Amino acid sequence: MLDEKAVSATIEESSTHDDPLTERSPLEEERRLVRRLDMRLMPVLCALYLFAYLDRINLGNARLQGLPEDVLHGDPTGVLFDWVNSAFYFSYATVFNFAGLLTVRVCLGVFEAALSPGVALYLSLFYTRDEIGLRIATYNGVAAVAGAFGGLLAFGIQNAHAGIPSWKLLFIIEGVPSVLLGFVAFAFLPNRPEETTMFNERERKIALERANRRTTADVGRVLQRIAAFMDWKVYAAGVMYFASNCAFGSISAFLPTIITTFGFSNAIAQLLTVPPYAVAAIVLGLFQYSSDRLRDRGSFAIASSIVGAVGYALLLAVPSNIHVRYFATFCVTSGTYGMNGAIATWLTDNLGSETKKATGLPLFQAIGQSGAVLGSHLYPLREGPRYRKGFAVNCGLDLLAALVAVTLTIVYRGENRRRDVQYGKPLPNAPVDTTELADKAPAFRYTP
């Protein structure tokens, strides 16, 4: 979706005769730079999230491997497990009681709290608005891969007959790589484009031109940080993220348990979590790729929300048909992951400046993670096997998210039309001065 003339003119102005890269066309240089970024950034970021998410969801697998009996005194109501699960979102694996398990889950949440909003902001420094959706989808899709991989790993560990409880072995195997990857990320991930040693001078010029395409990089604007708290669209996105994270938090901890209510053994239930996660990863990738190409976020957020709501409605309405209920888990996972990716990318696109993103994204994430706390308490054992309350709440929240997404789409499209009439249509990919007004700048256009 690049404007070749605009890109060529901008980059050629900064070219030098003695630069070996000038033998390539500007678009070829840019594509080469994007490939380098993909190879350098995405594997490390995806590995970080893979193991971060494994550490998050392995509690659901451990539940079927004896953790409640060993640590929570059997937990016949499931309430203690709910609190341990939600403790992650307030901010293990050598723990021996409820207090220890709760404490380390809180610590895990504290150290991971900045990961997702930080990654969205970090990627926006290197990728354009036409590219970032697929990269955020790739990053978020790793959570679905982790869900599938976690189920397979849990099945293998459960049948390993090791000398220690299988849930402890699961925590150790999935937890140690997270620590090691922290050092890898620190050493390998580049700093912001104007500072990193990854680029030569020619590549740095291209990277900075890309960073200023349809926006302008800015640093430390206090007024924009305040503006993020005053912008109702941040809170609207937070409501959608609250809904998707309520489902996200409950799926990660309770999908294996829900599948056991279909009549399968614990071991088989671990395996049957794999296909829904795998399909969710594919759907997320396809949705976000299409969203980038079409420059349309709202339609995919709406579609994902409705797919998730249909899944929960089926779980509510069809209590006995195992095939329909299992199909519903595919709808739930695909809708939830699709919604998560769409909403995060949508807000990142439309905050307009780096400093507003730096404030708006954590605020949005904080609202969303509150949904995960709720999701962690929607499936107590005493309400199984139907879990009517949990399914009904998630269904209602997904429909609410769809309604909010429709509202935002209408508002964004209307505001773009108003600015086109009042200020004229801006040139495609032209720099826009957002240093003072962020997304309120006359030449800035929202991604609807």
Side-chain angles (χ1 to χ4, degrees), residues 428-441:
N429 295 324
V432 176
D433 186 0
T434 58
T435 54
E436 296 295 336
L437 298 176
D439 55 298
K440 301 295 184 182

Side-chain angles (χ1 to χ4, degrees), residues 40-41 44-45 48 122 179-191 196-198:
R40 181 74 174 264
L41 273 61
V44 178
L45 293 175
L48 284 172
Y122 181 69
V179 178
L180 301 179
L181 278 168
F183 295 101
V184 172
F186 184 79
F188 200 70
L189 286 177
N191 207 339
T196 181
T197 58
M198 172 185 171

Side-chain angles (χ1 to χ4, degrees), residues 37 42 67 73 85 234 268 292 296 370 438:
L37 288 169
M42 298 310 299
L67 179 144
H73 308 292
N85 183 42
V234 174
I268 297 301
D292 277 351
D296 181 341
S370 300

Side-chain angles (χ1 to χ4, degrees), residues 311-320 324-325 386 391:
Y312 285 115
L314 288 174
L315 288 169
L316 278 168
V318 185
S320 57
V324 172
R325 290 174 69 79
R386 292 293 305 277
F391 296 148

Side-chain angles (χ1 to χ4, degrees), residues 139-442:
Y139 172 80
N140 283 336
V142 167
V145 173
F149 177 65
L152 288 173
L153 187 59
F155 177 79
I157 291 173
Q158 191 160 335
N159 291 278
H161 305 296
I164 62 174
S166 57
W167 65 268
K168 287 190 176 182
L169 183 60
L170 181 72
F171 285 177
I172 293 170
I173 291 175
E174 294 181 352
V176 170
S178 298
V179 178
L180 301 179
L181 278 168
F183 295 101
V184 172
F186 184 79
F188 200 70
L189 286 177
N191 207 339
R192 51 188 307 126
E194 62 268 32
E195 298 175 4
T196 181
T197 58
M198 172 185 171
F199 298 146
N200 59 38
E201 287 309 306
R202 174 68 171 158
E203 291 171 328
R204 196 181 316 280
K205 290 174 182 177
I206 298 172
L208 291 175
E209 184 277 326
R210 284 164 47 80
N212 289 314
R213 193 173 294 163
R214 288 196 284 160
T215 184
T216 301
D218 67 299
V219 177
R221 299 281 179 174
V222 175
L223 289 179
Q224 290 188 22
R225 296 183 185 277
I226 296 173
F229 286 99
M230 304 297 291
D231 191 343
W232 70 270
K233 297 186 293 297
V234 174
Y235 297 94
V239 169
M240 291 189 291
Y241 209 49
F242 180 96
S244 68
N245 265 297
C246 183
F248 202 68
S250 57
I251 287 170
S252 63
F254 297 104
L255 184 59
T257 300
I258 290 170
I259 292 179
T260 61
T261 67
F262 300 171
F264 298 106
S265 67
N266 288 354
I268 297 301
Q270 305 276 28
L271 281 180
L272 289 177
T273 62
V274 175
Y277 280 121
V279 171
I282 295 170
V283 169
L284 173 61
L286 290 174
F287 272 26
Q288 289 297 84
Y289 174 78
S290 302
S291 177
D292 277 351
R293 300 290 292 177
L294 298 172
R295 292 185 179 178
D296 181 341
R297 308 295 187 200
S299 299
F300 293 93
I302 296 165
S304 298
S305 303
I306 292 174
V307 168
V310 167
Y312 285 115
L314 288 174
L315 288 169
L316 278 168
V318 185
S320 57
N321 190 316
I322 293 174
H323 301 291
V324 172
R325 290 174 69 79
Y326 188 50
F327 169 76
T329 66
F330 285 79
C331 295
V332 167
T333 52
S334 296
T336 299
Y337 282 87
M339 188 170 24
N340 254 31
I343 296 167
T345 307
W346 205 8
L347 186 64
T348 303
D349 273 357
N350 288 333
L351 287 174
S353 71
E354 181 182 333
T355 47
K356 192 170 181 182
K357 290 175 187 175
T359 305
L361 287 172
L363 174 59
F364 151 85
Q365 287 274 347
I367 298 170
Q369 295 303 336
S370 300
V373 175
L374 173 62
S376 301
H377 291 271
L378 289 179
Y379 297 90
L381 285 177
R382 65 179 180 275
E383 297 190 7
R386 292 293 305 277
Y387 295 112
R388 289 186 182 91
K389 180 180 71 177
F391 296 148
V393 169
N394 277 318
C395 183
L397 285 174
D398 279 357
L399 291 174
L400 174 62
L403 179 62
V404 174
V406 169
T407 302
L408 277 177
T409 300
I410 293 171
V411 169
Y412 285 142
R413 292 187 186 277
E415 181 60 21
N416 285 347
R417 284 193 297 270
R418 186 191 69 79
R419 293 183 189 181
D420 285 347
V421 171
Q422 185 172 354
Y423 305 109
K425 291 187 177 182
L427 294 174
N429 295 324
V432 176
D433 186 0
T434 58
T435 54
E436 296 295 336
L437 298 176
D439 55 298
K440 301 295 184 182

